[in-house]
């Protein structure tokens, strides 16, 4: 006799949620459909942790997983913005030094 899993896995539950939202997805504007799909990709990325939680409402860990991924994206964007701001400040400072040097040689 083999031991089979009688309870659906979290990934099964997540697929069921996605299936239930299929009509909503179809009704979205075409540009928003890939964004919708991305949210479920985010939820799947944390399916192992969500499955361990074994929450009675699988949508809640999915939403928290989505929040985690969006938080990571925000962190990445903030880091990139800081890098760009530093580079711009350095460029402006360099330009300012060159401008002062040009004025001193006249």
């Amino acid at each position: 006799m083999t031991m089979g899993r009688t309870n659906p896995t979290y990934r099964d539950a997540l697929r069921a949620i996605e299936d239930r939202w299929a009509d909503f997805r179809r009704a979205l504007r075409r540009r928003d459909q890939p964004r919708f799909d991305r949210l479920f990709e985010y939820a799947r990325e944390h399916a192992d942790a969500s499955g361990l939680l074994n929450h009675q409402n699988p949508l809640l860990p999915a939403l928290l997983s989505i929040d985690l991924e969006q938080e990571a994206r925000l962190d990445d964007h903030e880091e990139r913005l800081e890098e760009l701001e530093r580079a711009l400040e350095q460029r402006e400072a360099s330009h300012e030094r060159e401008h002062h040097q040009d004025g001193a040689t006249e």
Side-chain angles (χ1 to χ4, degrees):
M1 184 166 121
T2 61
M3 297 278 295
R5 191 181 263 266
T6 57
N7 294 334
T9 67
Y10 179 77
R11 290 179 194 280
D12 293 335
L14 195 54
R15 266 191 295 279
I17 293 168
E18 194 169 5
D19 290 346
R20 283 195 302 272
W21 284 82
D23 289 341
F24 177 86
R25 183 194 181 281
R26 277 191 292 279
L28 289 173
R29 292 190 171 126
R30 191 172 302 270
R31 71 171 186 255
D32 290 328
Q33 290 176 359
R35 294 175 182 140
F36 177 89
D37 296 341
R38 193 175 317 129
L39 297 179
F40 277 92
E41 288 172 22
Y42 293 162
R44 282 189 291 275
E45 287 183 24
H46 297 277
D48 291 341
S50 296
L52 289 174
L53 183 61
N54 199 23
H55 197 281
Q56 65 185 14
N57 182 352
L59 184 57
L60 294 179
L63 292 173
L64 187 59
S65 297
I66 290 166
D67 287 342
L68 283 170
E69 287 298 314
Q70 290 181 334
E71 194 67 20
R73 286 187 59 155
L74 282 173
D75 287 347
D76 290 346
H77 290 306
E78 287 174 0
E79 189 176 307
R80 180 70 176 135
L81 181 59
E82 288 172 8
E83 289 173 11
L84 290 169
E85 287 172 339
R86 273 193 302 275
L88 183 58
E89 288 170 5
Q90 290 172 350
R91 184 175 177 183
E92 289 173 348
S94 174
H95 181 72
E96 188 77 19
R97 282 191 302 275
E98 289 173 10
H99 182 70
H100 285 296
Q101 289 173 350
D102 290 344
T105 58
E106 292 178 10

